[in-house]
Amino acid sequence: MSTPSQEPIKAGPKWAGPEQDVPGAALFTAPPYRPVERLTHAAAVAGLGVAVGIHGDYLYRHRRELLSSPVHSLVALAGGVYCADLASGLLHWAFDTWFTEHTPVVRRVVLIVREHHIYPQRVFNYPISQDVGIMAPFGVLAAVPTAWLLLRGRAGAPAAIASLSYSVLVTVSLDLHKLGHRTNATGVLRWAQRTHLVLSPAWHFKHHAKEHDDHYCLVNGIADATLGRAGLFRFLERTIATTTGAQPRADDRAWRRRFGRWVSPNRTHPSRHTSSASTQKGTK
């Protein structure tokens, strides 16, 4: 596997289209899926499907409870959506910040996110089947335990709504992320972007400015505007860096440096150099 420490590459335009031939694209090609990877993805998707079915059946049978307590239902839905947005941001932050393409198990995802910081629009080259397979295990972590509690009568409708919305949204978060790269949206999608129901380019492209060290969340970005703005990701970075001695974004910086993209001269607090949304598309 090629590493970013090898010879420099003169990168193509940062915002090249997904089908445009660009220098160095082959470096981000992961090996073919192994049988165990396919089996893991299939098992996660199947398990999620069963759990979602249990949630749906429970909510249908308790629909009168939902209608009688609309406020509780809406709060549960909002909580599930928010948690999915936050979870997608934490995962995005983790892969951007700590792993390398040589890390077992996650190497494929690391190559995707490294390519994404070099050529953002090539994210459209990845099919929904791969996106869902990657994220389904994180949806299962909530859906399966909650489904068991529902079957045992130990959880109610609000828990079912929160768990269902979280599990489904976090599983499709990589494809919701792509909505944040659709600059030509019209109609309902454009309205949804503007109202933060889904991720908008105006919001998400702030992540692609300079050091790529904020605006991580992929569902609608609300968690970025709250816990992210309050300093959650910087706190986690300081804690891990202090504990382990690891340097945040070291591998991502090496890849960007190899391709001649902008790299912050300040390794300790790069977020201070992050540009505004109005200049991000002109950044290397």
Side-chain angles (χ1 to χ4, degrees):
M1 179 71 66
S2 298
T3 66
S5 61
Q6 294 178 352
E7 72 283 354
I9 294 173
K10 185 177 180 179
K14 179 172 181 176
W15 296 96
E19 297 181 0
Q20 186 173 338
D21 188 22
V22 291
L27 294 175
F28 302 106
T29 302
Y33 273 98
R34 295 173 297 163
V36 66
E37 290 179 295
R38 295 185 182 279
L39 180 61
T40 300
H41 286 191
V45 171
L48 182 65
V50 171
V52 166
I54 293 172
H55 282 67
D57 176 70
Y58 181 91
L59 291 173
Y60 177 76
R61 288 187 290 106
H62 293 80
R63 57 191 181 278
R64 290 184 178 178
E65 179 183 346
L66 301 179
L67 295 175
S68 64
S69 304
V71 174
H72 292 167
S73 299
L74 289 174
V75 170
L77 177 62
V81 173
Y82 184 86
C83 289
D85 191 44
L86 178 60
S88 72
L90 288 169
L91 290 168
H92 185 183
W93 163 81
F95 288 116
D96 274 10
T97 307
W98 301 113
F99 302 109
T100 78
E101 73 277 14
H102 302 297
T103 306
V105 181
V106 299
R107 57 178 180 162
R108 187 180 307 278
V109 180
V110 171
L111 285 171
I112 292 172
V113 297
R114 296 295 176 265
E115 178 188 52
H116 191 52
H117 288 176
I118 306 298
Y119 300 118
Q121 296 301 87
R122 289 180 66 84
V123 70
F124 290 106
N125 290 334
Y126 297 98
I128 187 173
S129 58
Q130 175 172 296
D131 295 341
V132 169
I134 289 172
M135 298 303 296
F138 301 102
V140 163
L141 290 176
V144 170
T146 306
W148 183 82
L149 292 174
L150 292 172
L151 291 173
R152 301 275 294 181
R154 297 181 180 179
I161 294 173
S163 173
L164 180 62
S165 57
Y166 167 85
S167 301
V168 171
L169 289 175
V170 81
T171 299
V172 300
S173 60
L174 293 182
D175 287 278
L176 293 175
H177 164 225
K178 293 174 184 177
L179 298 181
H181 285 263
R182 293 195 179 278
T183 58
N184 59 348
T186 59
V188 174
L189 177 56
R190 184 172 178 82
W191 173 81
Q193 289 175 335
R194 287 181 170 179
T195 56
H196 273 282
L197 290 178
V198 298
L199 203 61
S200 71
W203 183 263
H204 179 62
F205 281 179
K206 295 176 183 180
H207 176 73
H208 289 282
K210 297 292 184 177
E211 193 62 20
H212 304 77
D213 63 346
D214 57 14
H215 291 76
Y216 292 106
C217 300
L218 304 179
V219 175
N220 55 24
I222 299 298
D224 281 317
T226 51
L227 287 176
R229 185 169 293 173
L232 173 64
F233 298 110
R234 299 292 81 80
F235 169 75
L236 292 174
E237 283 178 14
R238 288 193 299 270
T239 301
I240 294 174
T242 301
T243 303
T244 67
Q247 177 63 45
R249 286 173 296 284
D251 186 68
D252 186 63
R253 289 165 61 88
W255 276 99
R256 285 186 281 120
R257 187 179 291 111
R258 183 182 181 187
F259 276 81
R261 300 300 192 204
W262 191 89
V263 177
S264 169
N266 187 333
R267 298 175 64 89
T268 304
H269 298 291
S271 60
R272 294 177 183 174
H273 300 274
T274 303
S275 66
S276 66
S278 61
T279 61
Q280 45 75 33
K281 286 204 70 171
T283 302
K284 275 191 173 185

